[in-house]
Amino acid sequence: MKAGIVGLPNVGKSTLFNCLSNAKAQSANFPFCTIEPNIGVVNVPDPRLEKLEELVDPEKVIPATVEIVDIAGLVKGASKGEGLGNQFLGNIRETDAILHVLRCFDNDNIVHVDGSVDPIRDKETIDMELQLRDLESVEKKLDKVKRAAKTGNKEAQKEADVLHQLKDALEAGTSVRAVDIAEDDHWEYVKPLQLITDKPVLYVCNVDEGAAVEGNAYAEKVKAAVANEQAEVIFLAVGTEADITELETYEERQMFLEDLGLSEPGSAKLIRGAYKLLNLETYFTAGQKEVRAWTIPIGATAPQAAGVIHTDFEKGFIRAEVISYADYVDYGSESKVKEAGKMRVEGKEYIVKDGDVMHFRFNV
């Protein structure tokens, strides 16, 4: 599970990456500071995991994680190889979701690659380059499919219709995620193409400290511009977040956040946003050896959830013993939940709910 941080050079991508991963990627006041993508594994903040740790007192606790990739800045002409275009576009194709950082603050001391602050222009620059690369991929595929369609192949004709729909949209400056394609066709014909603009996107408005809670005029323009996209928007004072991560103690960080009117670091909000963007949820396993959060797609069945632990668990699935998180907390332990008759036995058809605490029975 991988999310890529993208944006024009010098908008705060590497600073954000450092906040999220504490990996200390190089960040500086000049374009193309990041050449090779930096990769960090970031824990998904989840207070439920802390509560289970408190109740179970395990030997270790393992949170869910998201892999964050800091990708080189994009410039006009990237789809034709300008700047680090080809390398950038190859890196972003390998991610599952996009965190698109837009500069939404004024500061004369930090240069902008285009000379002025305009997040809508910046968004359109990147959108256009991604759309051009996708258009190239669609046209290549369409050339192959049209040859098969000419022979009377009904399946190829249907695929060609979908590809023409994508081609027309991309030529009109519309990203694939905003195109209304029948769900079956989307999975059958569109998903295998791994188009960049088909990936879900979270727009990160990099604002100044005073706009960390409610945003500013720049951020409001972004919200209006993406209203028709299947996308999320958050406000984040990236420079301030960087200052918070430098503080040594939890107490100091909390005081800093309270002064800003925030209940938690914006980075925590961003990671949860990325998790939601990917349609993911969490179930838990809880025992003396470890309490662990497991990541599954929303709508996963019990056998599919078991398969995240090990493929043998899915192949030999017999049943799942399930406790709701609320019941676990209310009764305080697995044994007391069992005594109260609140542990459920579920079969292969069970759809796992976010926060379920589960044990699997299997036979291989």
Side-chain angles (χ1 to χ4, degrees):
M1 188 180 56
K2 190 183 291 186
I5 301 177
V6 306
L8 289 174
N10 223 23
V11 296
K13 299 185 310 300
S14 294
T15 305
L16 175 60
F17 176 81
N18 288 337
C19 292
L20 295 173
S21 66
N22 292 324
K24 302 299 178 226
Q26 185 186 10
S27 59
N29 187 20
F30 57 88
F32 300 120
C33 176
T34 302
I35 306 296
E36 293 296 327
N38 297 296
I39 299 175
V41 177
V42 184
N43 294 341
V44 178
D46 195 331
R48 297 172 302 181
L49 194 65
E50 296 167 19
K51 185 64 180 176
L52 288 172
E53 179 185 10
E54 180 187 314
L55 294 173
V56 178
D57 192 24
E59 293 173 21
K60 59 182 176 179
V61 177
I62 304 175
T65 59
V66 177
E67 197 169 278
I68 302 292
V69 187
D70 177 24
I71 297 168
L74 191 64
V75 293
K76 286 177 185 173
S79 58
K80 304 298 181 189
E82 291 295 323
L84 297 167
N86 289 327
Q87 184 174 334
F88 169 97
L89 293 162
N91 292 333
I92 193 174
R93 194 180 292 279
E94 295 169 6
T95 65
D96 303 303
I98 297 171
L99 308 178
H100 186 162
V101 182
L102 294 166
R103 177 171 169 176
C104 293
F105 66 89
D106 294 304
N107 186 330
D108 293 338
N109 295 321
I110 299 177
V111 297
H112 189 291
V113 71
D114 285 331
S116 63
V117 177
D118 185 344
I120 305 306
R121 177 201 60 210
D122 296 352
K123 174 189 175 303
E124 289 171 351
T125 296
I126 286 197
D127 282 351
M128 183 176 69
E129 296 305 326
L130 301 184
Q131 289 159 3
L132 287 170
R133 177 52 66 95
D134 278 353
L135 181 60
E136 188 181 306
S137 300
V138 169
E139 287 175 337
K140 279 183 184 175
K141 182 67 174 177
L142 187 56
D143 285 343
K144 291 179 184 176
V145 172
K146 280 200 295 198
R147 288 195 289 271
K150 283 178 183 175
T151 67
N153 184 315
K154 291 278 194 293
E155 193 65 29
Q157 288 170 354
K158 186 178 178 185
E159 184 173 5
D161 289 343
V162 173
L163 291 171
H164 275 298
Q165 190 180 354
L166 294 180
K167 182 173 181 288
D168 291 346
L170 289 164
E171 286 176 339
T174 301
S175 294
V176 172
R177 75 180 74 87
V179 181
D180 186 17
I181 300 166
E183 191 171 330
D184 289 346
D185 292 344
H186 191 274
W187 283 102
E188 189 173 354
Y189 304 127
V190 182
K191 280 294 176 188
L193 295 174
Q194 291 185 295
L195 299 174
I196 299 172
T197 66
D198 190 32
K199 298 179 189 295
V201 61
L202 174 65
Y203 291 100
V204 182
C205 295
N206 183 7
V207 298
D208 50 28
E209 186 176 302
V213 178
E214 296 183 358
N216 57 20
Y218 290 130
E220 288 303 318
K221 286 181 181 178
V222 173
K223 284 180 74 174
V226 306
N228 294 329
E229 287 189 40
Q230 292 178 327
E232 302 281 335
V233 179
I234 67 167
F235 315 134
L236 207 63
V238 174
T240 304
E241 293 282 332
D243 292 340
I244 292 171
T245 59
E246 294 295 327
L247 297 173
E248 291 186 5
T249 68
Y250 173 80
E251 288 74 19
E252 287 177 309
R253 290 193 287 271
Q254 286 303 114
M255 284 176 63
F256 199 142
L257 288 167
E258 286 170 13
D259 287 344
L260 293 174
L262 299 171
S263 59
E264 64 176 354
S267 54
K269 184 169 66 173
L270 186 148
I271 290 299
R272 278 201 299 273
Y275 208 64
K276 178 184 172 188
L277 195 67
L278 290 163
N279 283 319
L280 300 171
E281 62 184 9
T282 302
Y283 77 87
F284 302 101
T285 51
Q288 286 304 310
K289 286 196 172 180
E290 70 175 30
V291 167
R292 182 164 182 164
W294 299 90
T295 299
I296 53 171
I298 293 172
T301 61
Q304 289 168 337
V308 173
I309 299 175
H310 198 287
T311 52
D312 285 349
F313 282 28
E314 183 172 3
K315 289 175 189 171
F317 179 89
I318 300 171
R319 65 179 184 274
E321 296 170 355
V322 184
I323 303 171
S324 75
Y325 171 76
D327 283 341
Y328 207 110
V329 172
D330 285 346
Y331 290 94
S333 72
E334 184 177 314
S335 60
K336 288 181 180 175
V337 170
K338 285 180 178 176
E339 286 170 17
K342 293 290 186 178
M343 177 182 277
R344 308 188 312 277
V345 176
E346 302 286 0
K348 292 183 178 180
E349 305 303 316
Y350 178 67
I351 304 297
V352 179
K353 296 179 177 62
D354 187 48
D356 278 349
V357 182
M358 307 183 76
H359 287 302
F360 298 104
R361 303 297 178 191
F362 69 101
N363 183 31
V364 178

